[in-house]
Amino acid sequence: QVHLVESGGGRVEPGGSLTLSCVASRPLATSEQMAWYRQVPGKERDIVASITHDGIKGYVGAVKGRFAISRDIATNTVYLQMNDLTSEDTGLYFCNDFIGGQCTWGQGLQVTVSS
């Protein structure tokens, strides 16, 4: 089973930027899809951005044009560049690996957008 290690969360002012990183313990090419999810208290974990095995990217409507998911095959790392952050982006962000119907989650990163 893959092991995911996330980094890069923190606090930022509205309008600021953060980059989240997720390092996988196996080559990214073995995953069907890598994704970032966000969870806020009292709500379900929702997908924010995804990238498939073939490099096809997808975004939830609220982050289109502001967030960018990317990957570095050489280092087994998936990134989430987040720009023009608002308070609505606050939450616990999780890296996700999906293959063969099985999901693996990272430990979660807190992102807080406030002044």
Side-chain angles (χ1 to χ4, degrees):
Q1 184 175 358
V2 66
H3 183 57
L4 304 174
V5 179
E6 302 150 337
S7 62
R11 179 181 295 272
V12 64
E13 292 186 351
S17 298
L18 277 176
T19 300
L20 307 183
S21 301
C22 172
V23 180
S25 60
R26 70 180 180 208
L28 297 181
T30 60
S31 297
E32 294 178 29
Q33 176 176 284
M34 300 289 295
W36 288 95
Y37 283 71
R38 177 173 64 224
Q39 188 169 25
V40 298
K43 294 189 177 181
E44 294 185 353
R45 196 173 295 183
D46 292 324
I47 194 166
V48 174
S50 63
I51 184 166
T52 69
H53 171 84
D54 296 329
I56 298 172
K57 302 175 184 179
Y59 301 94
V60 66
V63 307
K64 282 184 179 179
R66 299 190 298 121
F67 289 16
I69 189 169
S70 62
R71 64 185 179 182
D72 184 339
I73 300 296
T75 61
N76 300 334
T77 304
V78 177
Y79 300 97
L80 184 66
Q81 173 67 45
M82 306 185 293
N83 300 317
D84 194 21
L85 287 160
T86 75
S87 59
E88 296 296 311
D89 299 315
T90 293
L92 197 58
Y93 284 72
F94 294 88
C95 181
N96 170 270
D97 172 280
F98 179 81
I99 180 171
Q102 182 174 1
C103 281
T104 302
W105 298 94
Q107 79 276 14
L109 293 171
Q110 180 64 41
V111 172
T112 301
V113 184
S114 73
S115 55

